[in-house]
Amino acid sequence: MSKPLKDRTQLLDYLWRAQDEHGYIRHEDMEECTRALDISIIEVEGVVSFYHFFKRRPAGHIRIFLNRSIVSECKGFDRIRDAFERATGAKVGGVDPSGQFGLFETACIGLSDLEPAALIDFYPFTNLNSIKVRKVIGKLKQGASPADICDPVPDHVRWTPGGDRAILLREYKRGTAGRALAGHSPESVIAEVKRSGLRGMGGAFFPTGMKWEFCRHEPGRQKYIVCNADEGEPGTFKDRVLMNAMPGLMLEGMIVAAYAVGASKGLIYLRAEYRWLRDKLQHEIEHFRKINLLGNDISGIKGFNFDIRLQLGAGAYVCGEETALLNSMEGKRGEPRNKRFFPTQRGFLQKPTVVNNVETFCAAARIMQLGAERFLATGTPESPGTKLLSVSGDCRHPGIYEIAWGTTVKEVLELCDADRPHFIQVSGPSGECISMEEVDRRIALDDLPCGGSFMIFNRSRDILQILRNFTSFFKHESCGLCTPCRAGNFIIEKKLDLFAANLAQQDDVADIRSWGEIMKMTCRCGLGRNAPNAMLMAQQKFPGYFGEIVNHNPERLSKGFDLEAAAREYERFSS
Ligand SMILES: Cc1cc2nc3c(=O)[nH]c(=O)nc-3n(C[C@H](O)[C@H](O)[C@H](O)COP(=O)(O)O)c2cc1C
């Protein structure tokens, strides 16, 4: 292949090139990696097998990935899958007899406002129905390229605070934050970000200014800024919209962080599902170099040198976890690290590293542009500023809502014109589900924190189907390193099968609870610790529902579950 492999941080890029060239990763491609990097073949195989999108066998000239998130299921996933199978002649998980189409399922692809959706050769196809699927496949059979016939992805910004109060989604002019640095010292940038009270928007809400300060105080000349653009939490698409609508704002946030901590290199870890955004980001980076917002002596500040590289992921939810992400960027399996050190102490290549979410960088850039006061003037004392929500599911206006922290769930439901809401999942499957009794809760750190995903389900949706989708997602995405996560998700999934088959008893409810508690206490990382959240909370908040399904609801029997298989499983478990 054209570009030789020089060090391990280039491994994912090399594997992508090999796959793009041959349709899959051949044994000789892996052998080339072992030679170039002086590592064993098993080590390379370990990396390849970790990522969903790397294929070890021919996977079709055109590869189709159908989104199987819960929102997609509610919007007709089964029909779309059948339509693809009919049109291509391939069965899900395989390739059609001619070898033209490979058809696969995948987890949320960040298009929940446009479901049902699929990626074809990593280009987005949205709002699918059976007729559209037939037409798309017809065109591909006639030689059209997915790049030419894919759908434009609208940003669907549905609501921002009125007047001049929007912070993130206000008009963006390149360079306003980057150039503001000239009037600041690194310390005063950190002080301003600390004063604003900005916290990380990736879900853990760690104070951003403090993180930057830790990194600044670490000794060593080489430091890194990493933008976490993995956005894997099902139902979240806010980072997609930020990167699509104003990629420069995110870059400026990274530049501000680099100046504050003294970093000279930046990396954006872009999830493979957003590969269609790669060129746009790359162009923006190049434009920034031309206008001296990247490169040497940025904004005329002597000695402030910083540049950014884009790293494409390869499909693994756990790589959103910051230490797994660092491993992945180093060309390893995306397994979370032991938490002996913070990334600010030992991050990328063991050097001090700031990892922040896309939205956090955008907010930091706005703070430099507008000042901390403007940020503090909205939101609540504990959660100042605004937050982007990705709203999807049963509502008339799915899309992005920039809400002031402190907005109630009820207000969001009204804004998006929710359709008979019943079960609302806040912060994705690893977050919290709420019932309509809680709609007066405020979306804020001291009440109901939200990382960005806001999925609405109405009364016609089966809570069990939602929970089974979440559990199957976590089982699939578990990196497998720790036993409670690897086994716990599997066991809970099997238990839910019993519920679905009407074979569950009261003991099974208690068993699920105790497995959930074990996982929360003993899993190595946030994936396993948060995986049982929805299940445990649903039992608390919808007790009537669980009572009913344990007491044999005959309706469910007619929904096509494999009763005999579930009965066999039950026997296996009880013996
Ligand atoms: C399983 C798992 C997945 C995660 N996925 C993401 C993600 O996709 N994007 C993100 O920014 N943070 C994600 N996080 C949180 C990151 O580990 C980290 O806290 C965050 O990137 C820090 O940035 P922030 O302080 O700006 O939020 C995830 C955490 C876990 C445990």
Side-chain angles (χ1 to χ4, degrees):
M1 257 185 332
S2 46
K3 244 181 159 180
L5 182 56
K6 289 205 193 100
D7 70 67
R8 193 149 176 182
T9 62
Q10 299 173 347
L11 183 58
L12 292 195
D13 287 350
Y14 184 90
L15 293 170
W16 268 119
R17 284 200 302 277
Q19 175 153 301
D20 288 346
E21 204 167 310
H22 308 289
Y24 69 107
I25 295 166
R26 305 165 311 162
H27 192 72
E28 49 264 52
D29 299 320
M30 295 201 300
E31 278 180 336
E32 178 55 33
C33 298
T34 68
R35 275 192 296 276
L37 300 176
D38 197 19
I39 54 178
S40 70
I41 190 83
I42 206 84
E43 179 109 21
V44 182
E45 274 180 11
V47 174
V48 173
S49 64
F50 187 83
Y51 299 93
H52 311 319
F53 292 127
F54 285 153
K55 301 285 176 204
R56 284 285 287 112
R57 274 196 292 274
H61 295 303
I62 297 174
R63 283 170 293 278
I64 303 168
F65 292 95
L66 308 180
N67 179 11
R68 205 193 175 132
S69 70
I70 184 62
V71 176
S72 170
E73 278 189 10
C74 293
K75 303 277 170 183
F77 170 84
D78 286 349
R79 259 179 293 131
I80 299 307
R81 180 200 50 214
D82 294 349
F84 270 108
E85 285 189 338
R86 272 195 310 273
T88 60
K91 288 271 166 230
V92 164
V95 180
D96 77 292
S98 75
Q100 188 180 10
F101 295 103
L103 189 59
F104 307 94
E105 283 179 8
T106 191
C108 184
I109 56 177
L111 296 168
S112 300
D113 50 336
L114 298 157
E115 293 295 350
L119 296 171
I120 303 185
D121 279 355
F122 293 96
Y123 290 98
F125 288 79
T126 58
N127 291 322
L128 294 168
N129 55 45
S130 305
I131 298 169
K132 184 167 174 183
V133 168
R134 212 172 48 233
K135 280 190 184 154
V136 166
I137 297 300
K139 286 183 190 165
L140 293 173
K141 281 182 176 167
Q142 283 161 14
S145 130
D148 295 335
I149 61 166
C150 67
D151 290 314
V153 176
D155 290 332
H156 281 158
V157 173
R158 302 292 194 176
W159 197 81
T160 58
D164 196 29
R165 287 179 306 135
I167 291 178
L168 290 153
L169 297 173
R170 55 173 47 230
E171 196 195 342
Y172 168 66
K173 281 205 194 95
R174 267 195 204 101
T176 37
R179 308 238 184 265
L181 289 177
H184 281 275
S185 66
E187 289 78 8
S188 75
V189 169
I190 291 177
E192 190 70 358
V193 174
K194 278 174 95 173
R195 201 160 68 85
S196 74
L198 175 65
R199 286 169 180 265
M201 303 290 192
F205 304 107
F206 191 83
T208 306
M210 203 188 285
K211 185 185 279 189
W212 292 9
E213 194 170 48
F214 289 157
C215 192
R216 174 154 192 86
H217 289 152
E218 280 298 317
R221 288 168 62 81
Q222 183 63 69
K223 294 179 184 174
Y224 293 95
I225 302 297
V226 171
C227 177
N228 188 340
D230 201 51
E231 189 154 69
E233 191 67 43
T236 319
F237 50 91
K238 65 184 180 72
D239 295 345
R240 171 202 102 200
V241 170
L242 284 170
M243 288 189 282
N244 198 31
M246 39 185 101
L249 187 64
M250 175 185 81
L251 299 185
E252 289 197 57
M254 294 177 72
I255 294 165
V256 170
Y259 182 62
V261 309
S264 59
K265 289 194 178 143
L267 298 109
I268 301 166
Y269 187 87
L270 181 70
R271 68 188 308 225
E273 290 84 345
Y274 293 166
R275 190 172 151 161
W276 53 273
L277 277 169
R278 186 171 58 171
D279 285 353
K280 179 175 241 179
L281 292 173
Q282 200 57 57
H283 281 139
E284 193 71 7
I285 291 171
E286 274 149 31
H287 188 72
F288 266 49
R289 287 181 188 138
K290 281 192 196 123
I291 59 175
N292 184 230
L293 279 169
L294 287 175
N296 293 338
D297 301 333
I298 293 171
S299 291
I301 303 171
K302 269 258 155 296
F304 176 31
N305 307 334
F306 181 63
D307 208 350
I308 295 177
R309 174 170 92 76
L310 223 156
Q311 174 65 61
L312 194 64
Y317 162 71
V318 72
C319 284
E321 195 279 339
E322 57 189 3
T323 62
L325 180 149
L326 294 169
N327 276 348
S328 179
M329 289 196 313
E330 291 180 8
K332 299 175 183 155
R333 288 165 69 83
E335 285 160 352
R337 295 177 179 174
N338 285 327
K339 304 290 183 296
R340 280 177 62 210
F341 300 100
F342 290 115
T344 47
Q345 299 167 295
R346 295 193 189 181
F348 184 57
L349 301 173
Q350 298 298 309
K351 302 288 183 208
T353 302
V354 160
V355 183
N356 276 132
N357 171 256
V358 172
E359 186 182 350
T360 314
F361 282 123
C362 291
R366 289 303 195 195
I367 288 164
M368 288 318 293
Q369 176 195 344
L370 304 168
E373 283 316 318
R374 178 67 72 81
F375 202 74
L376 288 163
T378 178
T380 69
E382 179 62 19
S383 316
T386 61
K387 175 80 191 102
L388 295 191
L389 297 188
S390 323
V391 177
S392 67
D394 293 314
C395 64
R396 284 183 190 86
H397 308 296
I400 296 296
Y401 291 71
E402 179 173 358
I403 58 151
W405 284 108
T407 303
T408 62
V409 170
K410 192 172 172 195
E411 285 167 316
V412 177
L413 294 174
E414 281 166 8
L415 285 173
C416 70
D417 203 356
D419 165 30
R420 296 164 295 144
H422 177 57
F423 181 105
I424 299 145
Q425 186 68 28
V426 180
S427 296
S430 54
E432 179 169 350
C433 65
I434 60 169
S435 71
M436 290 306 283
E437 281 166 29
E438 301 169 88
V439 290
D440 290 324
R441 288 182 68 183
R442 296 190 172 276
I443 300 174
L445 286 194
D446 46 358
D447 188 352
L448 183 64
C450 178
S453 170
F454 192 96
M455 297 187 281
I456 302 162
F457 302 98
N458 70 23
R459 286 195 166 273
S460 75
R461 311 298 178 192
D462 189 349
I463 293 178
L464 192 55
Q465 186 189 353
I466 300 170
L467 298 177
R468 291 178 88 201
N469 179 291
F470 291 173
T471 305
S472 144
F473 166 74
F474 287 121
K475 185 191 82 174
H476 200 246
E477 298 296 336
S478 167
C479 78
L481 203 61
C482 73
T483 310
C485 182
R486 187 177 63 240
N489 283 310
F490 177 84
I491 290 169
I492 292 179
E493 187 185 49
K494 292 294 167 203
K495 287 276 176 193
L496 289 181
D497 287 350
L498 294 182
F499 281 98
N502 242 353
L503 289 168
Q505 303 183 354
Q506 205 58 50
D507 284 358
D508 296 307
V509 180
D511 270 4
I512 289 187
R513 230 182 355 252
S514 63
W515 272 106
E517 298 299 346
I518 291 171
M519 289 171 71
K520 288 188 87 56
M521 279 186 297
T522 57
C523 283
R524 270 179 98 236
C525 86
L527 187 151
R529 284 199 294 268
N530 292 320
N533 281 354
M535 189 96 46
L536 297 176
M537 288 187 189
Q539 286 189 13
Q540 261 174 32
K541 297 180 181 186
F542 298 86
Y545 175 82
F546 278 89
E548 189 190 318
I549 60 176
V550 171
N551 294 331
H552 301 285
N553 171 6
E555 247 178 52
R556 184 164 289 99
L557 278 174
S558 61
K559 288 197 176 169
F561 297 111
D562 185 344
L563 196 56
E564 283 183 10
R568 280 196 300 278
E569 283 297 331
Y570 186 74
E571 272 180 12
R572 202 156 67 81
F573 269 108
S574 6
S575 60

